[in-house]
Amino acid sequence: MEWWKQTSIYQIYPWSFQDSNGDGIGDLQGILGRLDQIQDLGVETIWFSPFYQSPGQDFGYDISDYTSIDPRFGTMETCDRLINEIHKRKMKVVLDMVMNHTSDKHPWFLESKSSKESSKRDFYIWRKGKNKKPNNWISMVGTPGWNYDKSTDEFYYSNFLSFQPDLNYRNPKVKKEMFGVLDFWLKKGVDGFRLDIFNSIYKDESFKDNPFSFRFFPTPDNHDEAFFQKKQYNLNLPESFQFAKEVRKHISKYKQKPFLVGEVSGSDSVLKSFLGEKADGLNLVFQFELIHFEYKSKFFIDLLEKNEREFPAPFTPTYVLGNHDQRRYIDRLGGDLRKAKVLSAFQFLARGIPVVYYGDEIGRQEGRISNFLGKDPIAKMNRFVPLFLSNLLGIYINRDNCRLPMLWDDSNEAGFTTGKSWLPVGKFKISDTVSGQKKKENSLWNHYRSLFHLRKGNSVIKEGNLETKSSSHSDVLCFERKLKEKVVVVYLNFGEENGKESIPKGSKLLYQFGGAEVKGGDLQLVGHSGAVFEFGLRK
Ligand code: GLC
């Protein structure tokens, strides 16, 4: 089975992971210094949010040069070393690739904007407006997608923020340039790309108005209908599905067998279109259902069954609990570490790829920075919306709050920097840090470490198929993974009440947590505990 179908992904947000030069911003040298610890945790693939040259208005998701490193983070030489050192530790590297748009400071855009006759004019999407916007398209963040440029008296299109103009993939020169960028990094040996808002790559050629929808708020897994619009003409176009196949084909020739994981959103049928009918599109797509979990066994059973039905092998589901755009899951659990253990065990033991956001392994808490004081451009745009109101409505506005620095130890700024951190570290105890949790056997960090290593060393968990099973208590989720003659069975108790399960004869206990215990052939599951067994099938 291909390596990327079995891996686990750990996301590093470079701004906040580890600073090495005291400027309060994380950097590549800092990450280098933490690689041994990441390896020890058991991580298999590291995905880096962007560290390319960027004005930083969207913290790196506004790129002004795709093949150079932003000086905030270091140099190309350090980057080469980082890739090399990761590989030496038998881990893989995935880079974030923002193909949809550049920064408005990118030389292509500056040139494009300079005149209607510019050789780069058609690198972006320009339209005449006659004092009004070319059509009604709304961006993914709810702002009008068209931006007026006075000097050439035309509008350019941006499906995110106005300083992130969308590239025009109907121009073959744009494709060629971007494939060149992919080649540049693939030749350096990177193992894959996370494709930023890939669902937005193509816009409809007709430029027709989007139809009306009753829906206002988007959710992490559905942007198709939002802000009273059905995004029929500016999201999820058939050309984007086709382009997924083209990019896959392009990267497939590299010997490291790289993969693509798309940040796309939409119904399962949309996700499947990105993956391709013959599994020949994006290798993986992020599936965000876990982001708005309901902490009830029923939710997880339904999710597993749905994924097995909709994404059976050769497709590989992904289980994403958080990222740099979403409220941290620990916050949604009210900080309950017992529940965090159950949830993360689910994520690692299901058939698919667990995607872990840095800090989730220590239960890193959310910040409480108001929208008014946010550095995040989305927060700035909504600065007058009080935090309690956005929380109440369930809309995540100030993404600074999930991007706070990693908590390493109890030295200055939790060991993140010797200077002053770019975002406040906030209050914490030693038991909230990596160093504090390493020393405590039943800490969340040690639980994650066990899960990473358990998966890594067990081919049934990595490759086996999945079937949900009935259990003795409705709060207990039970499922089996099977590969050839071996079965792994998982019990997770999502309730407060005790559960009791009879374990299959001849089972070997692989892992237990939260107070689960085997007593005489039974498994006693106290509230929020779990256990994993393995047994062989007799012929
Ligand atoms: C993606 C990124 C987000 C960024 C946006 C625009 O959703 O995850 O952080 O702001 O795209 O590039």
Side-chain angles (χ1 to χ4, degrees), residues 224-254:
D224 304 9
E225 287 190 39
F227 310 115
F228 298 130
Q229 253 182 39
K230 191 165 178 313
K231 309 281 189 76
Q232 191 169 328
Y233 298 115
N234 58 346
L235 273 191
N236 298 328
L237 293 197
E239 290 93 326
S240 300
F241 306 149
Q242 188 52 37
F243 188 52
K245 293 183 188 172
E246 252 180 84
V247 185
R248 168 82 171 261
K249 193 160 171 239
H250 183 84
I251 69 158
S252 296
K253 53 182 186 269
Y254 283 84

Side-chain angles (χ1 to χ4, degrees), residues 438-488:
K438 270 187 171 182
K439 289 183 203 128
K440 247 182 87 197
E441 207 191 313
N442 65 355
S443 66
L444 190 59
W445 187 89
N446 269 313
H447 174 69
Y448 267 86
R449 184 171 183 276
S450 303
L451 292 171
F452 270 116
H453 285 277
L454 178 62
R455 243 189 91 84
K456 211 168 153 177
N458 189 302
S459 55
V460 187
I461 299 174
K462 288 168 89 111
E463 298 180 44
N465 58 20
L466 183 145
E467 215 177 298
T468 53
K469 295 277 161 185
S470 58
S471 63
S472 61
H473 195 292
S474 62
D475 285 340
V476 175
L477 165 64
C478 174
F479 60 90
E480 274 184 8
R481 308 288 312 279
K482 203 177 284 175
L483 182 72
K484 295 181 190 139
E485 299 303 310
K486 274 191 179 168
V487 179
V488 164

Side-chain angles (χ1 to χ4, degrees), residues 105-225:
K105 310 289 178 313
H106 193 293
W108 295 340
F109 188 71
L110 296 177
E111 169 60 43
S112 179
K113 199 180 156 193
S114 67
S115 116
K116 284 186 197 163
E117 280 71 49
S118 153
S119 61
K120 295 269 187 302
R121 186 67 169 177
D122 207 25
F123 264 48
Y124 296 86
I125 303 167
W126 291 96
R127 279 283 168 289
K128 288 192 192 56
K130 301 232 167 49
N131 299 326
K132 84 182 215 325
K133 299 194 167 27
N135 63 31
N136 72 351
W137 295 355
I138 298 276
S139 78
M140 292 171 85
V141 290
T143 49
W146 294 101
N147 310 278
Y148 183 63
D149 172 55
K150 212 167 149 200
S151 58
T152 55
D153 188 29
E154 283 191 347
F155 291 82
Y156 69 87
Y157 189 70
S158 64
N159 226 352
F160 213 75
L161 292 158
S162 58
F163 57 82
Q164 292 161 311
D166 280 27
L167 284 162
N168 173 17
Y169 279 86
R170 296 187 190 274
N171 179 350
K173 288 186 189 146
V174 169
K175 269 195 198 173
K176 194 163 169 259
E177 288 283 355
M178 287 310 294
F179 281 143
V181 169
L182 300 181
D183 290 335
F184 175 87
W185 290 105
L186 288 165
K187 283 181 192 146
K188 285 189 179 287
V190 307
D191 303 287
F193 299 105
R194 175 261 188 196
L195 302 175
D196 191 74
I197 54 170
F198 195 77
N199 48 341
S200 162
I201 288 273
Y202 275 87
K203 272 46 77 171
D204 196 79
E205 261 179 320
S206 72
F207 289 93
K208 281 189 196 151
D209 275 353
N210 276 330
F212 174 80
S213 156
F214 283 102
R215 225 181 127 108
F216 185 72
F217 291 123
T219 60
D221 55 356
N222 191 354
H223 277 270
D224 304 9
E225 287 190 39

Side-chain angles (χ1 to χ4, degrees), residues 58 61 101 160 164 194 196-197 263 324-325 399 403:
D58 192 15
Y61 285 92
H101 51 265
F160 213 75
Q164 292 161 311
R194 175 261 188 196
D196 191 74
I197 54 170
E263 187 204 19
H324 62 292
D325 298 326
R399 299 175 299 174
R403 299 172 176 178

Side-chain angles (χ1 to χ4, degrees), residues 215-360:
R215 225 181 127 108
F216 185 72
F217 291 123
T219 60
D221 55 356
N222 191 354
H223 277 270
D224 304 9
E225 287 190 39
F227 310 115
F228 298 130
Q229 253 182 39
K230 191 165 178 313
K231 309 281 189 76
Q232 191 169 328
Y233 298 115
N234 58 346
L235 273 191
N236 298 328
L237 293 197
E239 290 93 326
S240 300
F241 306 149
Q242 188 52 37
F243 188 52
K245 293 183 188 172
E246 252 180 84
V247 185
R248 168 82 171 261
K249 193 160 171 239
H250 183 84
I251 69 158
S252 296
K253 53 182 186 269
Y254 283 84
K255 68 172 186 314
Q256 65 266 42
K257 301 273 172 259
F259 78 102
L260 303 168
V261 52
E263 187 204 19
V264 295
S265 56
S267 62
D268 285 333
S269 94
V270 167
L271 299 190
K272 282 197 263 189
S273 303
F274 278 108
L275 294 168
E277 336 51 73
K278 298 192 196 110
D280 53 353
L282 304 180
N283 304 60
L284 303 168
V285 293
F286 283 144
Q287 287 167 267
F288 295 123
E289 290 109 323
L290 259 195
I291 298 240
H292 45 86
F293 63 83
E294 218 187 311
Y295 187 81
K296 283 198 177 123
S297 67
K298 168 106 176 53
F299 173 90
F300 298 94
I301 295 173
D302 290 349
L303 180 57
L304 288 177
E305 289 178 349
K306 194 270 295 179
N307 276 346
E308 290 311 308
R309 202 172 52 240
E310 301 291 336
F311 302 94
F315 297 102
T316 309
T318 59
Y319 287 92
V320 183
L321 254 180
N323 62 33
H324 62 292
D325 298 326
Q326 304 295 336
R327 181 175 163 206
R328 284 196 180 261
Y329 85 89
I330 195 76
D331 202 54
R332 280 171 288 141
L333 288 174
D336 192 331
L337 296 176
R338 298 172 312 157
K339 294 183 182 172
K341 284 186 180 172
V342 179
L343 207 48
S344 47
F346 171 84
Q347 193 191 16
F348 275 79
L349 299 165
R351 183 184 73 85
I353 308 297
V355 186
V356 176
Y357 183 47
Y358 85 97
D360 278 354

